[in-house]
Amino acid sequence: MKQGRTLLACLLTAAAVVGGFFLPELVAAVQERTAQPVQVETGPVQLFSASALSLREKLMLMSTGSVEWVELECGRNLDEDAALATARAYATGFSRAAMDGLTVSAQNAVPYYNMFSDTGASFYIWECYFIAADGSSIWICLDDETGCLLQLSWVNGRQASDELSWAKRVYAARDYLMDVCAKALGTVYDGSSYAEEPSQNLALDEISGQVIYCHMLEPETDEVFDIPIWYNEVNFYFNMSP
């Protein structure tokens, strides 16, 4: 009996040695037969990790201009029709305030994902383009999440012949856009602003342009922050640099 047990142990040991020798190849063969294709995402990782930002934070980031834009096929919340309809409302309101109510025609809307490398912040936007009846162009940037206005530019294409009239248009455009932002932010705009160079005023005398900073008040904290407008004799840029 003892000899039988010894023989059985020897046989089991030999089987284990042989199995251990061939086991890696067997496992590899099984894995090769059952392996499934692995889906690899080739797009930027940031596209799936957009930061949760407030509308105010987005406005402040957009005014810096230090951003990388990645063009997309579609937005996350707004589709092209919704983006164009929302932007058209802003363009029409701007036209009534600063362009004597000229008709504006939509050209296109392009979705982007923008990344601010300095802060690591990121969010989705829409760029929408319009042409006015006088040939001037309006470019509007929307927040894809909320549909709120982030930036607007008006390129007139020709120098204003009447400085006083142009100055009134700048004031009217400023007030309309600041009111739009105040409603979206839940803040207060009291009409106050200051120029980057106090010696200059809205009667434009230089083609190089200047910046005016519009005060926005946060009622709950009494905090004041600024939204910039850059303009010259032919162009107007809200919350952005040329």
Side-chain angles (χ1 to χ4, degrees):
M1 180 67 68
K2 186 175 182 180
Q3 290 180 349
R5 290 180 180 177
T6 301
L7 179 61
L8 179 60
C10 292
L11 291 173
L12 291 174
T13 300
V17 171
V18 173
F21 181 78
F22 290 105
L23 184 60
E25 293 184 4
L26 291 173
V27 171
V30 172
Q31 289 180 337
E32 184 177 354
R33 289 184 180 182
T34 60
Q36 298 296 324
V38 177
Q39 299 296 326
V40 178
E41 182 58 59
T42 57
V45 175
Q46 293 92 331
L47 288 176
F48 307 97
S49 59
S51 303
L53 300 171
S54 67
L55 179 59
R56 176 181 167 181
E57 288 172 320
K58 293 174 182 178
L59 277 165
M60 297 298 99
L61 285 168
M62 292 298 290
S63 68
T64 67
S66 57
V67 59
E68 299 177 28
W69 292 16
V70 178
E71 186 173 345
L72 304 172
E73 293 184 359
C74 60
R76 300 192 75 183
N77 294 292
L78 297 177
D79 60 21
E80 184 175 354
D81 291 339
L84 276 175
T86 303
R88 183 191 294 275
Y90 293 130
T92 301
F94 178 82
S95 176
R96 290 171 180 167
M99 302 166 59
D100 298 325
L102 291 175
T103 302
V104 294
S105 302
Q107 299 300 300
N108 66 339
V110 182
Y112 285 92
Y113 179 82
N114 53 358
M115 298 167 284
F116 296 84
S117 55
D118 294 342
T119 63
S122 53
F123 54 94
Y124 293 78
I125 63 172
W126 281 88
E127 275 190 346
C128 303
Y129 299 89
F130 299 86
I131 298 295
D134 65 349
S136 60
S137 62
I138 300 176
W139 173 92
I140 289 177
C141 180
L142 299 178
D143 176 27
D144 175 71
E145 181 183 6
T146 63
C148 291
L149 176 70
L150 295 176
Q151 291 179 324
L152 180 146
S153 73
W154 173 28
V155 179
N156 194 21
R158 58 181 181 272
Q159 184 172 332
S161 57
D162 183 348
E163 290 184 353
L164 180 59
S165 174
W166 175 241
K168 290 181 179 179
R169 288 189 176 195
V170 170
Y171 274 118
R174 175 202 65 179
D175 291 345
Y176 166 73
L177 294 169
M178 290 300 294
D179 286 342
V180 165
C181 285
K183 291 177 182 178
L185 291 166
T187 53
V188 176
Y189 172 62
D190 62 2
S192 62
S193 61
Y194 68 95
E196 188 173 40
E197 297 182 15
S199 61
Q200 296 183 1
N201 54 42
L202 288 175
L204 304 178
D205 56 5
E206 292 185 3
I207 195 68
S208 59
Q210 68 173 346
V211 179
I212 53 176
Y213 295 93
C214 306
H215 297 315
M216 190 73 80
L217 172 66
E218 174 58 62
E220 295 182 0
T221 62
D222 286 332
E223 180 185 359
V224 175
F225 59 96
D226 296 331
I227 296 180
I229 292 175
W230 182 97
Y231 64 94
N232 62 15
E233 293 179 339
V234 295
N235 303 318
F236 178 95
Y237 298 88
F238 174 76
N239 199 41
M240 62 186 295
S241 299

